[in-house]
Amino acid sequence: MSELVITLMRFGFLIALWLAVLAIVLVLRRDLAAPREARPQAAGGRLPTPSAPPVPPQPKAPRGAGRSSATPRRLVVVEGELAGTVIPLGTSPVTVGRAADSTLVLKDDYASSRHARFFPSDGQWIVEDLGSTNGTWIERTRITGPTVLRVGAKVRVGRTTLQLQR
Amino acid sequence: MSAPVVPGRQVEPGRSDQPTRRGVELALLVLVWGVGSLAMVLASEGAAGEVVPEVWRVVAISGVVLLGLHLVVRWLAPYADPIMLPTAAALNLLGIAMIGRLDLAAALRAQANGTDPPPSDALDQVLWLAVGAIAAALVLLVVRDHRMLRRYTYLWGLTGLVLLLLPMVPGLGLTIRGANLWIQVGPFTFQPAELAKVVLTIFFASYLVQTREQLALVRHKVLGLGVPRGRDLGPILVVWAVALLIMAAQTDLGTAVMLFGLFVGMLYVATGRRSWIVLGGLLTVVGGLLAYALFGHVQVRVRVWLDPFAYATEAGYQIVQSLYGFAFGGMMGAGWGRGYPQLVPFAENDFIFSAIGEELGLVGSVAVVVLFAVLIQRALRTAHASRDAFGALLVTGYAIILGLQVFVVLGGVTRLIPHTGLTTPFMSAGGSSLLANWIILALLLRVSDHARRPDPVIVRPDDATTEVVARP
């Protein structure tokens, strides 16, 4: 067999191998780009975690606002080790977590150091999860962003439940 | 099939816009099979000067097996990632081509010596590919939802340890080349440690999903590092320590390294605490020094690693020949069948990558590395997209195993790190390793099918199904 044929076979195979690798990488690239377009459709019915119980979309800002005209005045711990603690609400935000500088310091394995924050906005109180491990829950819904609280709503942080009262 | 159906949600079956991408998988599979067949033909042509009939048998069997596995995936995991199966197949076929090529070299040598030609390893390997594909199909069939594996956490841990212990059972165990890793049942030999890694990963993932919050949050301060409570870490620590002890007794350092890396990596991923990496790094140093002090063969390996050419005719022979092979291959390689990879002892096992480097050169070996990288990337991508923590951890575990194994083997044969005996996933000759890797691939496909499956369409009774019949 001539030297030329041997060289052609050598290079030919390497080209074929790399074409296969490139084909795979091209498919991979399309797959990497695709989720950005496909995600909005999929995101609608998607649960944040499979353990989260199924619930209809939580009531967002507009609904809670019209329900009660009275502004909430206190945050009460209704369940957990600190049950009975009352935090008067003014204009400053309230932080909850295991960190010593929190407004409400929890001694709870299931709470994060900086777990959740309550803050006023236009006469309403809003709760926000600060990237906690176990999440912040309103009734049985895990919140995914800042959420307006109705008066009487129960917020669960770890093993502690807080209620917004008038 | 396995989509979570929860009360209050209605699932509309069979309607979705999510592409299954099975066509893409088939196209890639055909392409990869073509390249693999080309490799086998060229290798035979280069090594023996003719295309031996065995090549066509191997090409036919591998084609049928891969097509069959593709059809099974189409049926049982229609939304699975389309890239993983072709990538694994490509690696496997390249491995078979190289093993077949080394077979021919061995046959020629036997002919020159006037002895009988040794049995064909390539044919064995393609049959093991068939066994692996059947095992993968069975895994896909039985494990319809990977979350069912979570039910048997401790059983998996126990099974893993029993598998590791099997070679030490008298009458069953078999010692080959100083390592007591094999069991022999009738004419078959098997390396149970390969299956143990599959099973132990399930145990680690399942256990860590249960306890990761306690592990991440409840900690005592020791020496400035947060250390979890004994009762949270206990069971996994026990399994891990026993596994390492068993492997120290069997002098199987490669698997020990892999299992340790798996353990540390999964703890880090599960808890998101960087201190595990620090701790793991420290323990690696301590363990390495301890192994060096205790085991003679470790000292030999390290000495050979530091100065292989001083031992070129004895302990360093293998690695020196491997390095010569890489050098001979250069940039573009010697071409299939035109190098001398048969000079490296056990080239078809631990050193298959140096054979690739010799005959395909840097260009070809980088292609192989890219294929491994793609496979690992797909596994990590699946973990990222997974909807449940268990699936994500399981897949991450397998990605860690594959990545570590590739690193340890490739680093070993290129003298980046001391050589420890581990198989190159999907490429090395050896049934146990191939079988275990195809089972891992099936589990990857199962989790990715679950992750990419479209969400069930929610129909809320009050607004979607209520029709206004008449308005007053």
Side-chain angles (χ1 to χ4, degrees):
Chain A
M1 199 177 287
S2 76
E3 200 61 35
L4 180 71
V5 177
I6 291 175
T7 312
L8 276 182
M9 289 198 314
R10 250 175 83 198
F11 287 82
F13 179 76
L14 288 180
I15 291 169
L17 178 61
W18 271 102
L19 280 181
V21 171
L22 279 182
I24 288 175
V25 171
L26 279 180
V27 173
L28 189 144
R29 245 186 59 142
R30 231 178 70 188
D31 193 70
L32 281 183
R36 236 167 280 151
E37 295 142 46
R39 199 42 68 79
Q41 301 172 331
R46 191 160 169 166
L47 300 169
T49 57
S51 56
V55 277
Q58 47 192 300
K60 288 277 168 170
R63 272 181 78 184
R67 194 63 58 86
S68 155
S69 55
T71 47
R73 294 214 187 91
R74 53 188 194 156
L75 196 60
V76 181
V77 180
V78 290
E79 258 178 72
E81 252 184 53
L82 300 171
T85 311
V86 177
I87 305 164
L89 296 176
T91 52
S92 50
V94 173
T95 55
V96 178
R98 291 188 302 130
D101 58 353
S102 309
T103 316
L104 183 69
V105 181
L106 300 175
K107 264 166 82 185
D108 182 348
D109 291 349
Y110 290 85
S112 297
S113 320
R114 287 185 176 72
H115 198 114
R117 191 166 75 106
F118 296 79
F119 59 95
S121 167
D122 293 332
Q124 299 168 5
W125 278 80
I126 294 166
V127 65
E128 184 189 25
D129 187 68
L130 301 176
S132 66
T133 309
N134 292 332
T136 302
W137 302 68
I138 298 179
E139 308 295 350
R140 295 194 60 201
T141 314
R142 186 172 182 159
I143 65 170
T144 51
T147 308
V148 173
L149 284 176
R150 284 179 292 106
V151 170
K154 283 182 183 165
V155 177
R156 191 157 61 79
V157 168
R159 283 185 179 133
T160 306
T161 306
L162 302 134
Q163 191 178 34
L164 198 65
Q165 293 183 356
R166 218 173 299 167
Chain B
M1 216 177 296
S2 60
V5 179
V6 276
R9 292 181 136 204
Q10 288 181 22
V11 182
E12 255 186 310
R15 280 190 50 219
S16 69
D17 300 328
Q18 175 93 343
T20 59
R21 324 258 340 245
R22 291 275 72 82
V24 174
E25 182 182 84
L26 183 59
L28 285 179
L29 213 49
V30 168
L31 179 66
V32 149
W33 175 73
V35 172
S37 305
L38 184 66
M40 290 173 210
V41 169
L42 287 178
S44 172
E45 163 65 41
E50 52 162 347
V51 181
V52 293
E54 213 160 56
V55 165
W56 300 116
R57 229 180 302 162
V58 171
V59 165
I61 296 175
S62 62
V64 170
V65 166
L66 290 175
L67 184 68
L69 189 55
H70 167 76
L71 291 177
V72 169
V73 171
R74 218 171 243 275
W75 168 42
L76 288 172
Y79 289 98
D81 186 283
I83 297 172
M84 294 196 286
L85 179 57
T87 312
L91 290 166
N92 208 330
L93 292 173
L94 282 177
I96 292 174
M98 187 48 84
I99 293 163
R101 183 247 169 282
L102 291 165
D103 274 351
L104 289 174
L108 285 178
R109 191 162 38 187
Q111 211 174 20
N113 294 346
T115 49
D116 287 336
S120 163
D121 282 337
L123 213 55
D124 268 9
Q125 185 79 347
V126 83
L127 291 178
W128 275 111
L129 161 64
V131 172
I134 291 169
L138 281 178
V139 168
L140 285 175
L141 185 69
V142 173
V143 186
R144 289 301 182 89
D145 186 337
H146 59 273
R147 284 172 296 185
M148 70 177 260
L149 297 173
R150 269 191 75 178
R151 286 184 216 148
Y152 314 107
T153 308
Y154 292 96
L155 216 53
W156 292 119
L158 199 67
T159 311
L161 291 185
V162 168
L163 281 173
L164 285 176
L165 275 172
L166 273 183
M168 294 163 97
V169 176
L172 198 62
L174 188 67
T175 304
I176 302 178
R177 297 198 289 277
N180 178 19
L181 301 177
W182 283 262
I183 55 168
Q184 188 165 27
V185 184
F188 299 104
T189 56
F190 198 79
Q191 225 175 321
E194 293 285 346
L195 275 184
K197 76 183 182 192
V198 181
V199 172
L200 282 177
T201 308
I202 302 176
F203 166 70
F204 285 160
S206 176
Y207 182 80
L208 285 173
V209 162
Q210 285 170 24
T211 44
R212 64 185 172 140
E213 273 152 19
Q214 284 95 313
L215 281 173
L217 298 172
V218 191
R219 304 161 78 83
H220 308 298
K221 280 262 182 222
V222 178
L223 300 170
L225 280 171
V227 175
R229 292 190 296 212
R231 71 179 117 140
D232 294 332
L233 199 57
I236 198 166
L237 214 56
V238 166
V239 169
W240 169 75
V242 171
L244 282 193
L245 276 179
I246 293 171
M247 273 173 301
Q250 294 169 347
T251 65
D252 180 11
L253 216 63
T255 314
V257 168
M258 189 176 69
L259 214 62
F260 181 72
L262 171 73
F263 175 73
V264 172
M266 284 185 83
L267 266 177
Y268 169 60
V269 173
T271 58
R273 296 272 171 168
R274 243 159 276 152
S275 53
W276 288 117
I277 301 285
V278 178
L279 211 65
L282 285 175
L283 280 176
T284 308
V285 173
V286 172
L289 290 175
L290 212 65
Y292 185 82
L294 286 178
F295 302 114
H297 69 282
V298 176
Q299 293 171 17
V300 172
R301 291 260 168 95
V302 171
R303 252 181 287 140
V304 166
W305 168 58
L306 290 174
D307 188 9
F309 292 94
Y311 308 89
T313 54
E314 25 169 337
Y317 182 73
Q318 206 176 12
I319 182 77
V320 165
Q321 290 302 325
S322 160
L323 292 176
Y324 281 150
F326 277 112
F328 184 67
M331 188 62 106
M332 307 302 281
W336 279 107
R338 291 173 209 284
Y340 304 93
Q342 64 269 27
L343 294 180
V344 183
F346 307 115
E348 72 280 8
N349 281 315
D350 298 7
F351 279 77
I352 196 156
F353 188 72
S354 71
I356 295 277
E358 180 163 356
E359 305 226 310
L360 302 183
L362 180 67
V363 173
S365 20
V366 169
V368 170
V369 174
V370 169
L371 286 174
F372 277 122
V374 165
L375 194 58
I376 292 161
Q377 190 271 345
R378 291 326 287 166
L380 289 175
R381 179 77 185 77
T382 299
H384 187 71
S386 178
R387 297 170 203 204
D388 64 302
F390 172 67
L393 263 179
L394 186 67
V395 172
T396 310
Y398 289 136
I400 293 173
I401 283 188
L402 280 174
L404 266 179
Q405 220 172 326
V406 171
F407 174 74
V408 166
V409 172
L410 266 53
V413 303
T414 52
R415 207 173 72 86
L416 180 69
I417 55 171
H419 173 243
T420 42
L422 268 183
T423 55
T424 319
F426 292 107
M427 289 189 90
S428 289
S432 346
S433 159
L434 205 53
L435 180 64
N437 284 318
W438 278 104
I439 290 175
I440 287 179
L441 192 87
L443 288 171
L444 291 179
L445 287 172
R446 169 52 71 223
V447 178
S448 81
D449 172 54
H450 194 260
R452 293 183 74 248
R453 191 179 285 275
D455 298 288
V457 180
I458 304 161
V459 181
R460 222 165 278 117
D462 49 317
D463 48 62
T465 55
T466 309
E467 263 182 62
V468 179
V469 179
R471 194 163 267 162

